[in-house]
Amino acid sequence: MNVMQPIESIRGGVHENERHESGHKHVMGTAEYIDDIPEPAGTLHAYLGLSQRAHAEILSMDFEAVRSAPGVIGLLTAADIPGENDVSPAHKHDDPVFATSKVEFHGQPIFAVIATTRDAARRAAANVKIEYQDRPHVTDVLEAAAANYPLVIDPLKLERGDIAAGFARAKHIIEGEMRIGGQDHFYLEGQISLAIPGEDDEITIYSSTQHPSETQHMVGQVLGVPSNAVTINVRRMGGAFGGKETQANLFAAVAAVAARKYRCAVKIRPDRDDDMTATGKRHDFHVGYKVGFDTDGRIEAVDAVFSARCGFSADLSGPVTDRALFHADNCYFYPHVRLRSRPLKTNTVSNTAFRGFGGPQGMVGGERMIEDIAYTLGKDPLEIRKLNFYGGEGRNLTPYHQTVEDNIIGRIIEELETSCDYAARRKEVLAFNGKSRVIKRGIALTPVKFGISFTKTEYNQAGALVHVYADGSIHLNHGGTEMGQGLYTKVAQVVADEFQVDLDRIKVTATTTGKVPNTSATAASSGSDLNGMAAANAVQQIKARLVAFAAERYGVSESEIAFEPNTIRVGSQRFGFAEFIRIAYGARIQLSATGFYKTPKIHWNRADGRGRPFFYYAYGASCSEVSVDTLTGEYRVDRADILHDVGRSLNPVLDIGQIEGAFVQGMGWLTTEELWWDAKGKLRTHAPSTYKIPLASDRPRIFNVKLAEWSVNPEETIRRSKAVGEPPFMLPISVLEAISMAAASVADYRIPPRIDTPATPERVLMAVERLRAAGRGRCDGGAA
């Protein structure tokens, strides 16, 4: 009889701090990305030829100097595409691989050069001579509306209550508008694909994509082959943030077409300048709003239109603008509400997914209304926020008619307000501003409520593949992609916990459509939720077989069999995990399973604007304090305190890292990252020299981040955890609000500051001057 002594716990289970599975490789420089893969003999290189017009007819193209350039093997145009010349994720046939008779944005791909080296292909692409006939172009969203540009997709309307009655009841009504800037993903690893042709019509592609199955389908569509002929492999990405959810399709398709045409491996990797020029961004918005409220600041009615610069094609603009409306309420109940989207076409690159997927833009618009109310009434914005929180009889229904059932924002705010000493610090800020002539300070505490699930219901599913080998080692594969966020680590921890074995027994292998089919994008903060549950399901199937086998073999009931740390207890006997697996293998027990999971309860009717698009909500709050130089508009973030809800964390240290990174990235979006097109429609902020992402020196001087450790997801999610990828991105709204307070101090906090984003020093200075002038006008008895 085996009398092994029980072990107290496994190493690397869930709810434990565990290092990122590739962290040591990142530090040592040994983590392999696509550009590190040894190139097969004879690999060719592709480079895109981009349009030099924002909107024009193509009259002629002269490729003679391109073809005769050193190292050039050939080139691709739309005529070389064997299938469909389209990679539209919205299936609207509006997103060609290569433009044909016209171009619709500056930087649109027209052709690709294939050469023996990447440098040769890049240099040759510049030799093309294209004759254009220019047409009028529009890059700004309001100009597009004025020019009656079309919508790229049908708009959404969310409506509840009686708008007219709400405004009639309101004691105060404010109307305003706000511009919310876009953002480049600025992933460390740019877009890249390596395509290797196989037998017949088969092709294998190493692609830096967040959505392997969509890339697979798009490549098949462009090649004119079924999906079973295309295999997409993704071991890791060097960042993505949504920029590789759909935008990777183009590069995979170009590499695939070239590989098929020339029957050899082909790699494509653009320079950073061309990557930024030819790929989509976060949508920038114009928000026009009208809000009615009572004398205390309680909202009675909201009517708002969210207009988005979508670019030349639909891409993901429909769901992005939908999600903006879903989050325009943030944590606030609007008794009477009408929210409308306006996804406008422009002659710019087609905008796409970005961390938060429209939610941040909607939330910033909602918070601007709260800020307007507070300054109009001369109150602390936090007081207005708390007054309007969801909660109480008849105050839990969202504009899309989902009931908020898991509301913990009150406790989150109360705990952060106390721990960061908000009230005393606000008094100090007010006192400081009363004495300081040049440097002004601001402080703000803002909440976050973010819905978790894909609003496209079919994406809320995942698969996983688990093999247990005869030596007791475990192979894990699932449909999620690793882009630095730690998904592989978390899902491996789930498998370790299910089997009750040490984490180092599990090997996670590259995501591939050849193992797990029909994957959803690793997006919408759902990677751990979906893939963790799918992996757990696969393990549970294997465990059920092992339990049934043990019960029969050793004559005990199934209730007497348990998976304990690195052992399996069968009645009074204990077997080492590897030992028992060897026994089960000898008895021909199947030790492999495919797992599956689909999110329950969700449903959505877009035509009616009603449903339950989200399985649950993640909550958080941040308090930020800033100092602003009112002579230059320059500022610094002195301190940020964060309390964030991730449910029962699968891996606290990884979650804290995600929160810190999201905060700094979101702060960059709201303060420094500015996209600028010139009069010819050319993106001028297309490199690190002209596009300012946050530096290490821009982080808050004091940065306190805590998890709401008491929180447990009330819904049946993977180990009661909550999503962490996107929700903390909206926490730095507090930085924007704190800057607004500092600016408002020059007019004695009596005028809504209304600073558009990004709140660059230039915009802050202009706001300060405007507020000073308006303040003087009020003091002189003039109109504000």
Side-chain angles (χ1 to χ4, degrees), residues 200-469:
D200 302 320
D201 59 1
E202 295 174 2
I203 192 160
T204 299
I205 302 175
Y206 296 87
S207 173
S208 192
T209 175
Q210 294 173 245
H211 199 170
S213 285
E214 182 178 89
T215 300
Q216 175 193 32
H217 298 325
M218 288 298 170
V219 169
Q221 176 176 288
V222 170
L223 291 180
V225 301
S227 292
N228 63 12
V230 182
T231 300
I232 306 295
N233 295 326
V234 189
R235 173 57 184 93
R236 61 173 62 84
M237 287 167 278
F241 311 115
K244 296 175 180 176
E245 183 172 344
T246 64
Q247 301 285 293
N249 298 339
L250 168 72
F251 299 92
V254 170
V257 171
R260 179 168 175 176
K261 179 176 180 179
Y262 296 101
R263 300 305 303 168
C264 64
V266 176
K267 183 159 71 175
I268 182 170
R269 175 175 64 83
D271 283 349
R272 176 67 66 176
D273 297 72
D274 288 340
D275 190 318
M276 292 182 71
T277 298
T279 61
K281 323 295 178 195
R282 179 185 294 281
H283 293 68
D284 54 334
F285 275 67
H286 174 273
V287 184
Y289 58 88
K290 178 180 177 182
V291 56
F293 52 97
D294 65 17
T295 53
D296 293 324
R298 188 183 294 269
I299 293 172
E300 300 284 4
V302 169
D303 190 6
V305 177
F306 288 74
S307 303
R309 171 163 53 191
C310 298
F312 83 103
S313 67
D315 196 85
L316 295 175
S317 293
V320 165
T321 51
D322 287 0
R323 191 171 280 252
L325 300 193
F326 289 144
H327 290 85
D329 60 331
N330 195 7
C331 296
Y332 313 116
F333 176 70
Y334 301 154
H336 306 280
V337 57
R338 180 174 62 196
L339 305 172
R340 289 167 288 174
S341 70
R342 194 162 56 159
L344 282 155
K345 177 173 181 173
T346 51
N347 294 118
T348 53
V349 63
S350 189
N351 285 327
T352 190
F354 201 129
R355 198 174 193 171
F357 205 77
Q361 295 96 312
M363 204 172 289
V364 168
E367 290 298 337
R368 175 52 50 88
M369 290 186 277
I370 293 290
E371 185 183 76
D372 273 8
I373 294 169
Y375 284 102
T376 298
L377 296 178
K379 296 188 175 185
D380 179 352
L382 181 58
E383 179 184 344
I384 305 301
R385 291 187 169 97
K386 292 193 288 188
L387 183 68
N388 285 285
F389 280 163
Y390 280 105
E393 186 66 28
R395 293 181 56 84
N396 288 303
L397 196 64
T398 66
Y400 43 95
H401 296 262
Q402 176 169 340
T403 301
V404 180
E405 299 171 335
D406 58 0
N407 190 1
I408 59 171
I409 194 58
R411 181 173 177 181
I412 292 279
I413 292 292
E414 181 181 358
E415 290 191 7
L416 182 61
E417 190 177 359
T418 300
S419 66
C420 77
D421 202 15
Y422 172 80
R425 288 169 60 200
R426 179 175 166 83
K427 288 182 180 179
E428 290 176 5
V429 167
L430 291 170
F432 176 89
N433 289 345
K435 299 176 182 178
S436 177
R437 292 185 60 191
V438 175
I439 304 299
K440 300 292 185 178
R441 287 161 56 187
I443 188 170
L445 197 158
T446 59
V448 167
K449 172 180 70 65
F450 192 80
I452 304 299
S453 288
F454 286 99
T455 48
K456 188 174 183 179
T457 304
E458 67 188 58
Y459 280 176
N460 294 287
Q461 60 175 300
L465 177 65
V466 175
H467 300 317
V468 181
Y469 293 105

Side-chain angles (χ1 to χ4, degrees), residues 436-508:
S436 177
R437 292 185 60 191
V438 175
I439 304 299
K440 300 292 185 178
R441 287 161 56 187
I443 188 170
L445 197 158
T446 59
V448 167
K449 172 180 70 65
F450 192 80
I452 304 299
S453 288
F454 286 99
T455 48
K456 188 174 183 179
T457 304
E458 67 188 58
Y459 280 176
N460 294 287
Q461 60 175 300
L465 177 65
V466 175
H467 300 317
V468 181
Y469 293 105
D471 65 352
S473 62
I474 299 166
H475 171 115
L476 167 63
N477 194 272
H478 55 78
T481 57
E482 176 62 57
M483 59 196 90
Q485 82 279 39
L487 174 63
Y488 275 22
T489 306
K490 286 185 173 182
V491 180
Q493 286 179 271
V494 169
V495 171
D497 191 66
E498 281 286 346
F499 273 128
Q500 279 296 291
V501 297
D502 293 338
L503 184 62
D504 59 13
R505 190 181 291 273
I506 299 160
K507 185 174 186 63
V508 188

